[in-house]
Amino acid sequence: GAYLTGAWGVTTFSGGDFSGCTWGVHQPDGTGQGNVYRGNNLSNASAYAMLISGDKTPVIEGNDFTNAANGIWWRGVSGASLSGLDLSAYKIPGTALQLNNASNMTLSNLNLSWTGTGQSGTGIQMGDSSSNTISGVNASHRGVGAYLTGASGGNTFSGDDFSGCLWGVHQPDGTG
């Protein structure tokens, strides 16, 4: 896939074919703000279709996540927002959206539901992520709608749909 590291300005990934890669787009060290990920084929990624670190304002539009093991892993960010993303048609069996070390974020009107047979994976997973607002998120028919680990306290959930999940919201270690 595409691996972005070092000191970059705004980078645009458009129309790339990263299908079948371990990582579709991998931005591990927080380079750039406002990177654009548009119209890329990230299907069948065996780890994550997309890893974004530290970018508060990524543009994520029209990418193909079909059958990627996991969708988007967004980490090390504060004060960002994500709205209107629909990953439901792509049959991502693992985690649709994972946040780590993310705080004061607003996630709204996301469709992270599973549309395959039975229940599968996690809609949104949050590790060491606090004071976030999650509203209007559909993560139905997953094993877990929202999975919180580590210091993930002070998050607000409202108007979310975790129907058909084994666990709607699961916080197994009791922290937060």
Side-chain angles (χ1 to χ4, degrees):
Y3 186 89
L4 179 64
T5 187
W8 292 86
V10 173
T11 302
T12 299
F13 296 93
S14 181
D17 185 359
F18 307 115
S19 60
C21 293
T22 302
W23 298 88
V25 175
H26 191 214
Q27 182 211 357
D29 59 5
T31 56
Q33 292 291 311
N35 292 320
V36 177
Y37 309 94
R38 182 178 290 131
N40 297 291
N41 183 352
L42 308 171
S43 64
N44 298 303
S46 61
Y48 274 83
M50 190 176 286
L51 167 67
I52 302 170
S53 296
D55 188 345
K56 289 183 181 184
T57 57
V59 176
I60 303 169
E61 298 174 340
N63 297 289
D64 182 354
F65 293 86
T66 301
N67 297 319
N70 297 286
I72 300 169
W73 181 4
W74 198 6
R75 66 183 191 188
V77 67
S78 178
S81 64
L82 183 62
S83 180
L85 183 67
D86 186 349
L87 297 178
S88 65
Y90 299 114
K91 295 191 172 151
I92 299 167
T95 299
L97 176 63
Q98 179 171 336
L99 302 176
N100 286 92
N101 298 313
S103 62
N104 301 307
M105 295 183 62
T106 301
L107 305 174
S108 61
N109 302 316
L110 306 177
N111 191 341
L112 309 174
S113 60
W114 171 249
T115 57
T117 304
Q119 298 167 322
S120 187
T122 301
I124 182 170
Q125 181 171 334
M126 300 167 63
D128 296 318
S129 297
S130 59
S131 302
N132 298 296
T133 301
I134 300 93
S135 64
V137 172
N138 180 351
S140 60
H141 303 288
R142 292 283 185 175
V144 180
Y147 188 79
L148 286 69
T149 63
S152 291
N155 294 299
T156 302
F157 291 85
S158 67
D160 302 304
D161 180 0
F162 302 133
S163 62
C165 293
L166 180 61
W167 288 297
V169 177
H170 187 54
Q171 190 168 9
D173 53 16
T175 60

